[in-house]
Amino acid sequence: MSSALGTVADLPADYYDGLVSRNLLPLWPSLRSVLPYGNPARKTRPTLWRYADVRPNLLRAGELAPIEKAERRVLVLCNPGLGLENMQATPSIYIGLQLILPGETAPNHRHTPMAVRFVIEGQGGYTVVQGEKLPMEKGDLILTPPRLWHQHGHEGTEPVIWLDALDLPLIYGLEASYAIEGKVQTVTDPRNASTTRFRQGGIVPYASLSERRDDYPLLRFPWREVRATLTGLAGVTSKDASVHVAYVNPETGRECMATLGFSALMLRPGEELRLTRRSASSVFHVVEGTGTATVDGQAMAFGESDTFAAPTHAEIRLANGSGKTPAFVFIVDDAPMHRKLGFYEEFD
Ligand code: 1HN
């Protein structure tokens, strides 16, 4: 039964002021705002960040902010609905575009938020995670799990730019976000052995069957393999099903990180797709192709390397702008967190 609840104005002013002076508040005037009926209140706006707008500003940051003065040279993709200063693409997802120039190194540290890198352009970049050197090619996904040491470097000749996705808004909101500085790591595994060990889905080192499972057995997912998998999948997927793969822990088959989830979608030539509406918020990054995203009725034309955000419970439609070539999109969402907390939902 829905009925209007009492307001602060209904209360004697001296009573209300007395509550406030004792650090107390009545719940009922605010109950509908923190717990609305039917749908959550959402401040997150469907927002598109064009790479053509970000890139020149990021390259300018390369001139304005030496790496020693920046530690990480990043422009943050801030959702205007959430307040730019809060650095949230969605309520739980932080997204930044990071630039590293030839010869630069970004110092070793570890922190409580988890991070992933998704490479946008440039050759020769690398991240070292716990001694394992992970090469960064366009489209590769690199995991830097919570509390693991990581540093970046660049052995190439052109600028390297990647997208960082972190669960920072959540961890900061928990007042649990902090970092520890470290000495430069010694590379103990120059060959990125984890990506060799788990080269192919469905085939794992035999010891995985009996050994204690690693929380993060695979730290780098090469785009070459993901793209080939999507292209193959398109050949065996019916027209009315989406061509969509998830990045998982190869030992458990479950999500590879605890809080945020990662997936890649192929839009076949001419395809128009309505995604299942669900409780999770998400960020989409275009790897290849052009098209239109319509999020809660707002149409946004996208091209290669553009990034856009969709709030929780959003209605999302994606249309490939080409009838001849496929489009590929990388997706970050907070579905793993929603699932673990017991409120993940899909609608219709
Ligand atoms: C961080 O550690 C990195 O290691 C990038 O490259 C962006 C944003 C907020 C907090 C930590 C990195 C970050 C970050």
Side-chain angles (χ1 to χ4, degrees):
M1 267 292 140
S2 174
S3 64
L5 297 177
T7 67
V8 171
D10 299 335
L11 299 170
D14 62 332
Y15 170 70
Y16 184 79
D17 294 344
L19 291 179
V20 169
S21 71
R22 291 170 179 82
N23 298 323
L24 296 168
L25 279 180
L27 172 62
W28 59 96
S30 305
L31 183 58
R32 290 286 181 268
S33 101
V34 294
L35 198 64
Y37 280 132
N39 289 297
R42 301 171 309 161
K43 290 185 284 190
T44 308
R45 287 193 215 144
T47 305
L48 173 82
W49 295 268
R50 275 178 226 291
Y51 193 55
D53 294 330
V54 183
R55 188 178 187 275
N57 285 294
L58 193 51
L59 293 174
R60 184 90 204 284
E63 298 160 14
L64 298 173
I67 194 81
E68 304 75 34
K69 292 279 181 197
E71 220 168 277
R72 302 297 195 256
R73 193 188 289 108
V74 177
L75 293 181
V76 183
L77 277 45
C78 304
N79 193 295
L82 297 169
L84 298 194
E85 67 286 3
N86 293 315
M87 301 201 294
Q88 295 164 303
T90 80
S92 62
I93 305 173
Y94 160 103
I95 300 286
L97 263 51
Q98 181 162 173
L99 167 70
I100 185 160
L101 294 170
E104 287 183 339
T105 54
N108 189 32
H109 70 182
R110 62 193 187 105
H111 42 69
T112 46
M114 70 94 216
V116 305
R117 330 281 161 198
F118 190 86
V119 183
I120 300 176
E121 69 169 274
Q123 302 227 318
Y126 66 90
T127 293
V128 182
V129 178
Q130 300 281 114
E132 180 172 354
K133 186 173 177 182
L134 307 159
M136 299 171 100
E137 302 286 331
K138 180 175 158 68
D140 289 356
L141 178 70
I142 309 279
L143 308 186
T144 54
R147 305 185 65 213
L148 298 193
W149 292 112
H150 56 280
Q151 66 194 36
H152 313 300
H154 187 350
E155 294 165 330
T157 54
E158 299 296 322
V160 163
I161 298 175
W162 65 72
L163 176 145
D164 292 312
L166 282 81
D167 58 3
L168 182 66
L170 173 75
I171 309 306
Y172 182 77
L174 296 175
E175 294 190 352
S177 177
Y178 77 103
I180 297 172
E181 274 186 283
K183 290 199 282 277
V184 176
Q185 289 181 66
T186 307
V187 174
T188 51
D189 170 13
R191 296 168 311 167
N192 177 206
S194 72
T195 303
T196 304
R197 246 180 246 126
F198 296 98
R199 178 149 195 271
Q200 197 179 324
I203 298 178
V204 298
Y206 193 81
S208 287
L209 298 176
S210 52
E211 273 178 4
R212 184 187 157 274
R213 293 179 168 203
D214 194 333
D215 285 342
Y216 310 105
L218 174 60
L219 292 173
R220 173 174 164 262
F221 299 75
W223 176 250
R224 197 182 341 103
E225 312 276 347
V226 177
R227 195 186 188 286
T229 302
L230 283 167
T231 307
L233 188 58
V236 294
T237 303
S238 69
K239 285 267 175 291
D240 53 0
S242 59
V243 182
H244 192 186
V245 296
Y247 294 80
V248 300
N249 175 325
E251 292 193 323
T252 64
R254 306 307 306 161
E255 294 136 339
C256 55
M257 296 290 238
T259 50
L260 301 186
F262 311 98
S263 62
L265 183 73
M266 173 174 155
L267 291 170
R268 289 158 285 196
E271 181 170 2
E272 292 182 19
L273 183 65
R274 188 175 68 82
L275 301 182
T276 303
R277 201 166 70 82
R278 56 196 203 141
S279 60
S281 68
S282 26
V283 172
F284 298 75
H285 176 77
V286 183
V287 189
E288 222 180 289
T290 59
T292 306
T294 308
V295 179
D296 286 337
Q298 187 176 320
M300 302 176 283
F302 63 74
E304 186 168 323
S305 305
D306 291 349
T307 305
F308 54 94
T312 60
H313 292 244
E315 170 143 336
I316 304 170
R317 292 168 188 275
L318 302 174
N320 188 340
S322 166
K324 295 208 174 82
T325 52
F328 294 90
V329 182
F330 171 68
I331 305 171
V332 181
D333 63 48
D334 54 10
M337 197 178 345
H338 282 217
R339 288 195 187 95
K340 289 192 180 73
L341 296 178
F343 60 82
Y344 179 78
E345 286 182 275
E346 294 185 350
F347 309 95
D348 44 63

